[in-house]
């Protein structure tokens, strides 16, 4: 699904949910605009630096677009790699664009157990002292001494969104989830940038624990 279609779908879902909640007198329009965020489920993936693109796929190789993801200018690539740890390996790990300054592998805790590694829960880009891992491509192999993390739960938003929600960059909030397996997710990091699109990112383990598929909304609790 491209970004335009995803945004249209989210708008339709938002409208339908809001209308039903308003009908039941459970929420006002201000509650919705100032508290609720869309949720996306982020599967295991890898961000590559250019040197590692060359090693894994061949010198001068250019990554190719598979589909848009939630953040503007970013997309999933057609290219995939295999990641390997002491106990096992996982194939078909999707490469994401754009190119990074340092290669970063993001897995869920269940993936880590399967691989036999112990990655820390970190914000994206905070890789010092993170878990080692081997990355295997069609043309070569990269052995990372550090670079594998379990991504923290986080919400992307613009400065305008942050003002509306009453939060600031780097703040930790909780998010209430409705539904049969609903509950509260704690330690959710706010990330503010003018190029971001409003979206909460969680990994597959979190999604399974709360019964989420990635088309739901959560309520921010500052």
């Amino acid at each position: 699904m491209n970004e335009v279609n995803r945004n249209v779908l989210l708008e339709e879902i938002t409208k339908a949910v809001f209308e039903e909640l308003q009908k039941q007198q459970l929420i006002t329009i201000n509650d919705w605009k100032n508290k609720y965020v869309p949720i996306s489920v982020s599967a295991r993936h890898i961000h590559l630096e250019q040197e590692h693109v060359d090693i894994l796929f061949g010198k001068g190789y250019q990554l190719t677009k598979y589909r848009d993801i939630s953040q503007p200018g970013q997309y999933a690539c057609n290219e995939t790699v295999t990641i390997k740890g002491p106990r096992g390996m996982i194939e078909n790990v999707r490469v994401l664009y754009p190119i990074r300054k340092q290669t970063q592998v993001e897995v869920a805790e269940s993936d880590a157990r399967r691989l036999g590694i112990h990655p820390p829960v970190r914000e994206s880009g905070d890789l010092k002292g993170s878990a080692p891992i081997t990355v295997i491509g069609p043309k070569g192999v990269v052995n990372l001494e550090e670079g594998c993390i379990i991504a923290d739960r986080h919400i992307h938003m613009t400065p305008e969104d942050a003002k509306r929600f009453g939060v600031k960059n780097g703040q930790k909030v909780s998010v209430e989830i409705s539904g049969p397996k609903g509950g509260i997710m704690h330690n959710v990091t706010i990330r503010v940038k003018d190029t971001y699109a409003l979206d909460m990112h969680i990994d597959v383990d979190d999604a399974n624990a709360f019964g989420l598929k990635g088309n739901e909304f959560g309520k921010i609790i500052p």
Side-chain angles (χ1 to χ4, degrees), residues 8 12 17 27 59-60 117 141 166 194 197 202:
V8 170
E12 292 176 350
V17 171
I27 194 171
K59 185 68 175 178
I117 59 176
V141 177
D194 56 8
I202 60 174

Side-chain angles (χ1 to χ4, degrees), residues 84-151:
K84 183 176 182 297
R87 292 183 189 169
M89 62 177 62
I90 299 176
E91 299 178 333
N92 299 316
V93 177
R94 186 74 60 181
V95 177
L96 298 191
Y97 182 89
I99 299 297
R100 292 283 186 95
K101 292 181 179 180
Q102 184 177 357
T103 292
Q104 174 176 299
V105 181
E106 296 182 33
V107 298
E109 178 63 39
S110 56
D111 295 326
R113 289 196 296 269
R114 177 177 170 185
L115 294 165
I117 59 176
H118 303 282
V121 177
R122 294 277 183 84
E123 290 188 38
S124 181
D126 183 7
L127 301 179
K128 186 175 180 58
S130 58
I133 195 166
T134 297
V135 184
I136 304 168
K139 298 293 186 180
V141 177
V142 173
N143 293 301
L144 297 176
E145 293 184 3
E146 60 183 17
C148 186
I149 64 171
I150 297 172

Side-chain angles (χ1 to χ4, degrees), residues 159-172:
E160 292 76 16
D161 290 327
K163 183 177 180 180
R164 179 161 51 87
F165 283 98
V167 296
K168 60 183 179 179
N169 187 52
Q171 181 177 344
K172 297 289 187 179

Side-chain angles (χ1 to χ4, degrees), residues 14-27:
T14 300
K15 182 179 179 182
V17 171
F18 171 70
E19 288 177 349
E20 181 60 29
L21 291 173
Q22 191 177 41
K23 187 185 302 181
Q24 300 297 325
Q25 297 183 335
L26 297 176
I27 194 171

